[in-house]
Structure formats: C-alpha cells, structure tokens
Amino acid sequence: AQTVTQSQPEMSVQEAETVTLSCTYDTSESDYYLFWYKQPPSRQMILVIRQEAYKQQNATENRFSVNFQKAAKSFSLKISDSQLGDAAMYFCAYRSFQGGSEKLVFGKGTKLTVNP
Amino acid sequence: ETGVTQSPTHLIKTRGQQVTLRCSSQSGHNTVSWYQQALGQGPQFIFQYYREEENGRGNFPPRFSGLQFPNYSSELNVNALELDDSALYLCASSLIGREAFFGQGTRLTVV
C-alpha cells in the first residue's frame, strides 16, 4: 500500500524568506503523480504543484518548486519569497491508479505560518 | 475557486441518524471522489464514482454509500452515524486520470 509521510507538523518562515517542506512516500509503482495541495482556513484544497514521476525535471510554478528524488522517494516543496497569503496547511499527496480506479493518498500535513 | 460545490457547508446530527451530503462536479467532469478529513489529519479516500458506477473504495464500512447521477453530481450517504464520523467531507471532481478539483467541504458534527 502506498503511504505518504510529512515529518514536519509545523513550520514557520519570515515574510520574503524561503522555506522547504518535506515529504517522503512509499510505493512499488513505477509511474505515478505527486502533488502538493494547500488548504487555507476556507478548507478548500488548492493544487499548488504537480510532478509526474517519469519526468526527471523538477516542476516549478512561480514561487513554488519541488525537489523530486525518485530513488529516495522524496518530494519536497520549496516556497520562495514567502507571502502572508502562503500561510495554510500543506499536504503532500500521491496519486495511485490501479485497476481503473484512482485515488489520492495524503500525508498528515504541515502547518505553515508566515511571520510579517 | 473551482466549479465544485458542496452542500450543506455545516450540519449537526445525532448518533444513529443518517445523513446525505451533496456534490456538484465541475462542468465536463465525469468522475467524483469523496474524502473524509478528521481534525488534524490528511484526507482519507472513501470512494470514487465514474459514469454512475462505484469505481474504487477505501477502507470504509458499508454504511458509507454513494450515488452518481447522469449529470455527474454525487451524493454521499452515511447510515447509523457514530461520533467518529465527525469530520470534514471533501468532494473532488475530475476527468479520469486528470487533475482533481476540490469543493469547500461539508463539516459534519455528530453529537
């Protein structure tokens, strides 16, 4: 079974600084997708960034980038130039696709605080 | 905001009662997945519906059931509510194999 582990329950960063959130996962599949989702107090899960496992190049979306280490099964999120609006819960997720059915497997999340 | 809407936003039920939660999927999406998010935890997969058929299920008992309608909207039904069913229930819609878009969730409290 696939598992996702986020070892940092809480992180804080100063506005305009850089922070890295950690995520490791376990799977026997060779082709899969990894995601980082942001959940602000409004509760809606918002996709931040996506990484296809077959792509060696790390995904980047504006201030957000990932460090994807497939052999180590590691998928960290780097937020540059942190803004107050980045404060939220961040969830790492793995998309499993087996037998025509797909599901997201989430970690327990990291609460990010941005200090002015 | 995504085009996925859930109703109601909050509700309170008594242990042993039944509840129905609703989800309108984003236009063009034919797949709906439901997740349960307990306080302080990540979402857990309940089940997925694809073209009106259940298309995968997580580790949830049969008293959790669902429906998907021809317009691809969906319902989650929970019978014989237990205190541990108190959680945020999230609906996500997608085209199969593509990115999932989430609604804002329904906060269920069982007393």
Side-chain angles (χ1 to χ4, degrees), chain A residues 39 43-44 95 100-102 104, chain B residues 2 35 37 55 97 102 105:
Chain A
Q39 188 178 42
R43 310 180 319 200
Q44 187 169 29
R95 189 168 78 191
S101 171
E102 62 177 19
L104 291 169
Chain B
T2 71
Y35 292 82
Q37 186 178 14
N55 185 43
F102 284 83

Side-chain angles (χ1 to χ4, degrees), chain A residues 12-23:
Chain A
S12 63
V13 62
Q14 291 297 125
E15 196 175 3
E17 297 293 309
T18 296
V19 64
T20 298
L21 308 184
S22 301
C23 173

Side-chain angles (χ1 to χ4, degrees), chain B residues 74-106:
Chain B
S74 178
E75 288 183 352
L76 164 65
N77 300 291
V78 187
N79 294 323
L81 283 166
E82 301 177 0
L83 297 179
D84 285 348
D85 295 334
S86 296
L88 178 68
Y89 288 84
L90 295 166
C91 166
S93 79
S94 66
L95 288 169
I96 196 79
R98 304 294 298 273
E99 174 185 335
F101 293 87
F102 284 83
Q104 288 187 302
T106 294

Side-chain angles (χ1 to χ4, degrees), chain A residues 6 33 35 37 39 41-48 50 89 91-92 94-109, chain B residues 1-2 4 9-10 31 33 35 37 40-43 45 48 55-57 88 90 94-100 102-107:
Chain A
Q6 293 179 249
Y33 285 75
F35 304 87
Y37 281 90
Q39 188 178 42
S42 67
R43 310 180 319 200
Q44 187 169 29
M45 285 283 189
I46 301 166
L47 179 64
V48 174
R50 170 181 58 200
M89 287 293 295
F91 292 93
C92 178
Y94 169 101
R95 189 168 78 191
S96 169
F97 192 80
Q98 292 180 329
S101 171
E102 62 177 19
K103 67 178 181 181
L104 291 169
V105 179
F106 288 87
K108 290 188 175 182
Chain B
E1 289 198 1
T2 71
V4 182
T9 55
H10 300 83
T31 303
S33 301
Y35 292 82
Q37 186 178 14
Q41 301 293 317
F45 175 72
Q48 181 182 79
N55 185 43
R57 188 178 184 91
L88 178 68
L90 295 166
S94 66
L95 288 169
I96 196 79
R98 304 294 298 273
E99 174 185 335
F102 284 83
Q104 288 187 302
T106 294
R107 173 76 66 191

